[in-house]
Amino acid sequence: MQLPELNFEDTFDFQIKRDKDKFFIYDLVRKSWLLLTPEEWVRQHWVHYFHLKKGRNLSSLILEKKLELNGTTKRIDLLVTEKTIPKILVECKAPHIKITEKTFEQIARYNSIIGAEEIILSNGLLHVFAKFSENHYVFSPFAY
């Protein structure tokens, strides 16, 4: 399987295995093998980034948490917490998905429920960083 190189400063040592014609990646947080989809490839880069580069405990990383939004169940990709307080909400897209205003609105809607101070929207190639301040988002260059 040819995986795209993503736009991260560091490279990470992922555990990947093959079972017949499918590939799986080991998730450090959930301690299980997950189907290696393009979106999962991006999510696992963020998990490794926050754990190995930023020193976050695995217990502070919440993956695919269910969330109720306008009567429908959604799932967030990654939430970084500090003492259970939501700090950074990360929405991961596959590398071939363009980052647009519409994709940003998705994470902003999710964050209206979660209440994280910062959000990151990423397709692994482009990372959009915004901080919620005075009732609106302020965009800035990626600063991690």
Side-chain angles (χ1 to χ4, degrees):
M1 174 176 218
Q2 184 63 34
L3 296 166
E5 186 174 326
L6 301 181
N7 184 18
F8 282 80
E9 201 173 275
D10 299 277
T11 55
F12 303 107
D13 188 21
F14 298 101
Q15 294 181 56
I16 296 174
K17 71 177 183 179
R18 182 180 185 167
D19 184 10
K20 297 180 182 143
D21 61 342
K22 293 188 175 153
F23 288 85
F24 297 86
I25 188 165
Y26 187 75
D27 182 330
L28 299 172
V29 175
R30 293 175 274 190
K31 296 179 175 43
S32 61
W33 292 93
L34 305 173
L35 184 63
L36 182 50
T37 63
E39 183 180 313
E40 193 61 49
W41 181 234
V42 174
R43 181 177 16 247
Q44 290 303 317
H45 272 76
W46 283 106
V47 166
H48 281 69
Y49 172 81
F50 281 113
H51 178 58
L52 300 172
K53 178 83 173 163
K54 303 308 282 180
R56 300 284 185 147
N57 288 328
L58 291 174
S59 62
S60 74
L61 305 178
I62 299 169
L63 299 171
E64 294 198 321
K65 176 183 172 157
K66 286 184 183 178
L67 142 78
E68 189 77 22
L69 181 66
N70 298 330
T72 61
T73 301
K74 305 291 184 184
R75 287 183 192 270
I76 60 169
D77 287 326
L78 171 60
L79 178 62
V80 181
T81 63
E82 283 179 17
K83 298 183 176 143
T84 72
I85 297 168
K87 289 296 180 178
I88 306 166
L89 179 61
V90 182
E91 175 67 21
C92 301
K93 298 294 183 191
H96 68 275
I97 302 293
K98 286 190 182 340
I99 301 296
T100 64
E101 187 175 337
K102 185 177 178 180
T103 54
F104 181 82
E105 287 170 359
Q106 175 190 3
I107 190 173
R109 278 193 306 276
Y110 291 0
N111 200 40
S112 70
I113 308 288
I114 299 291
E117 296 171 7
E118 302 170 0
I119 58 177
I120 298 171
L121 174 58
S122 173
N123 65 4
L125 304 172
L126 176 66
H127 316 298
V128 175
F129 173 79
K131 190 171 187 137
F132 195 70
S133 177
E134 298 177 18
N135 264 354
H136 68 281
Y137 285 99
V138 178
F139 294 88
S140 64
F142 186 67
Y144 283 89

